[in-house]
Amino acid sequence: MKIDAYQNLPIIKEYNSYIRLERSLSDNTRVAYLEDLAKLMDYLKGTGVDIQNVEREHIENFLIDLSDLGITPRSRARIISGIKAFFQFLLMTDKREDDPTALIEMPQIGKHLPEVLSIEEIDAMEGAIDLTQPQGHRNKAIIEVLYSCGLRVSEMLNLKISDIYITEQFITVVGKGNKQRLVPISESAIKYINYWLEDRDELNIKKGCEDYVFLNRRGGQLSRIMVFNIIKDLAAKAEIQKTISPHTLRHSFATHLLEGGANLRDIQEMLGHKSILTTEIYTHIDQNLLRETINLFHPFNKKK
């Protein structure tokens, strides 16, 4: 069923206006988002559950149905992205207090290495930030933290003021599996965090968000989609032609460290990877450097 069947619902009309006016999505992308949402709403008809009250299990069962129908992993990933965007909208507009898609994993569609930004391109993005605007220092601090610490966007969003050790220039990061690690933070990142914290004090901070570093203009926790939009907007203003996301800054962090001669094991620790193989793939490491590292540190080679 097409989205036409639902287009007069107040929540769909409001969402359509949001992605058209505030997110400035192209007509094709906007229609695709709405059509993917319609697929979920068609499924929910048989469950008696309203789209605004859906739970994680409903979405998981919907995705199982898609798989059973032979929908490819890439198409399922696109549908999930569209649905996630809708529930982020509900969160942002205080129509829901939780996101039922938060723990929904994307299907495996093969590894595609993200773009790497040059230092000049990162500088250009930072230069595109208007520091006279209320969120200017926040956005610059976001770029600094993502790039200088190599954080996942979820780790950055969950960073707390109490996790920052200014004198020692370290932050405590809670990564996958609730595993904690210490990551160095640059003086520049600390400087812009401090600037942002001064602006942050002017917000009406929501209960439960008092310790989170990065907040939206309503005093609530910043969302993934908002960070994605900030990065895309700055890349466009800096006239960067590459397809990038917040993850690109993490990838650039690891790549630049590796190119500068950093130890592969140290990079693994800072990124929070369990396996050195993940780090090797992630940083698209030069095979000669990898071979040299293995020759130096593998126990069998040491015996020789």
Side-chain angles (χ1 to χ4, degrees):
M1 186 179 290
K2 298 291 185 182
I3 192 63
D4 295 354
Y6 305 107
Q7 64 181 354
N8 290 323
L9 293 177
I11 189 63
I12 299 302
K13 291 172 74 172
E14 188 177 345
Y15 179 57
N16 188 22
S17 295
Y18 165 73
I19 59 177
R20 180 169 60 88
L21 299 175
E22 295 195 38
R23 291 200 52 194
S24 302
L25 296 183
S26 68
D27 286 342
N28 287 340
T29 302
R30 181 175 55 82
V31 170
Y33 270 41
L34 294 173
E35 294 292 353
D36 291 338
L37 186 58
K39 292 181 177 68
L40 175 60
M41 296 173 77
D42 286 345
Y43 169 80
L44 291 175
K45 274 190 170 182
T47 67
V49 177
D50 180 79
I51 186 66
Q52 287 180 246
N53 300 316
V54 69
E55 299 295 338
R56 178 184 169 189
E57 63 180 308
H58 299 122
I59 296 174
E60 288 178 336
N61 289 335
F62 165 66
L63 295 174
I64 290 171
D65 275 11
L66 291 181
S67 180
D68 290 344
L69 289 171
I71 305 298
T72 65
R74 189 173 297 277
S75 294
R76 294 203 308 274
R78 191 206 69 230
I79 291 169
I80 293 170
S81 294
I83 292 171
K84 280 179 175 287
F86 174 72
F87 285 103
Q88 286 295 325
F89 160 74
L90 294 185
L91 269 180
M92 189 175 63
T93 54
D94 296 325
K95 292 178 173 61
R96 276 191 74 120
E97 294 183 354
D98 66 318
D99 179 1
T101 68
L103 299 178
I104 299 292
E105 294 184 355
M106 289 291 188
Q108 295 296 318
I109 56 176
K111 294 186 181 295
H112 296 280
L113 294 173
E115 296 273 13
V116 176
L117 293 169
S118 68
I119 295 173
E120 291 75 18
E121 287 171 326
I122 295 170
D123 286 342
M125 286 177 64
E126 291 196 344
I129 298 170
D130 184 352
L131 296 178
T132 66
Q133 294 300 309
Q135 311 305 321
H137 288 127
R138 181 201 66 185
N139 294 349
K140 186 147 187 177
I142 285 172
I143 300 289
E144 289 280 343
V145 169
L146 287 173
Y147 175 62
S148 73
C149 302
L151 302 192
R152 300 177 178 95
V153 67
S154 58
E155 294 168 346
M156 186 273 292
L157 290 172
N158 289 313
L159 184 65
K160 296 180 178 178
I161 297 171
S162 56
D163 293 330
I164 304 173
Y165 299 90
I166 293 176
T167 304
E168 295 82 2
Q169 292 190 333
F170 273 88
I171 59 174
T172 301
V173 179
V174 180
K176 290 185 176 180
N178 287 324
K179 186 178 178 182
Q180 281 194 348
R181 67 184 190 276
L182 289 175
V183 177
I185 184 169
S186 69
E187 289 184 8
S188 180
I190 290 173
K191 179 175 75 172
Y192 283 101
I193 286 174
N194 284 331
Y195 287 157
W196 157 239
L197 291 180
E198 292 178 11
D199 297 335
R200 180 185 177 279
D201 286 341
E202 303 300 318
L203 298 176
N204 182 20
I205 299 173
K206 291 185 177 180
K207 186 177 181 180
C209 295
E210 295 88 353
D211 198 24
Y212 288 109
V213 174
F214 297 108
L215 302 177
N216 58 37
R217 63 180 182 272
R218 289 173 300 279
Q221 196 176 3
L222 209 58
S223 69
R224 283 173 175 266
I225 196 165
M226 291 176 73
V227 176
F228 181 87
N229 289 336
I230 289 167
I231 299 300
K232 295 287 282 186
D233 180 59
L234 291 175
K237 288 178 178 176
E239 299 183 348
I240 295 171
Q241 301 302 314
K242 299 172 181 176
T243 301
I244 70 168
S245 70
H247 192 75
T248 310
L249 291 163
R250 172 173 161 89
H251 189 63
S252 302
F253 160 84
T255 302
H256 294 165
L257 282 180
L258 191 68
E259 290 174 349
N263 181 280
L264 193 61
R265 186 69 67 182
D266 291 338
I267 297 173
Q268 178 194 359
E269 288 295 322
M270 285 186 281
L271 292 174
H273 286 160
K274 288 184 178 179
S275 169
I276 195 80
L277 294 177
T278 307
T279 312
E280 177 263 316
I281 295 169
Y282 191 0
T283 56
H284 58 82
I285 182 174
D286 181 87
Q287 294 302 312
N288 291 329
L289 179 56
L290 177 62
R291 189 177 298 110
E292 181 181 339
T293 302
I294 292 173
N295 287 339
L296 283 171
F297 298 109
H298 195 282
F300 281 1
N301 290 321
K302 284 184 175 181
K303 287 179 181 178
K304 294 176 182 179

